[in-house]
Amino acid sequence: MTTETLEQEIQALTAQLTGDMFKDMDIKDQIHNLTMKLKGVKPMDSSIDCVGCGS
């Protein structure tokens, strides 16, 4: 995925947020995972992508 593609997906998901914490939970998790890919961030002491990071 390119940086532009990731940013477009994040924007599309952000537009779907309703303001209801429970309804938005899955969408926010997807946004979080895409943002981590975009920034090249992994959880500390993790050799795999975001598993068990608590979000």
Side-chain angles (χ1 to χ4, degrees):
M1 287 190 149
T2 66
T3 300
E4 186 175 313
T5 304
L6 289 170
E7 289 174 347
Q8 289 174 349
E9 286 192 41
I10 291 170
Q11 288 176 355
L13 288 168
T14 301
Q16 295 177 26
L17 294 173
T18 64
D20 182 320
M21 182 177 71
F22 294 106
K23 289 181 181 178
D24 291 346
M25 196 176 307
D26 289 333
I27 295 171
K28 287 193 175 210
D29 186 47
Q30 291 174 30
I31 292 170
H32 171 73
N33 289 335
L34 291 172
T35 303
M36 288 184 70
K37 284 182 186 178
L38 182 65
K39 295 180 179 182
V41 176
K42 290 184 181 181
M44 291 176 55
D45 300 327
S46 178
S47 60
I48 55 176
D49 288 332
C50 193
V51 173
C53 71
S55 63

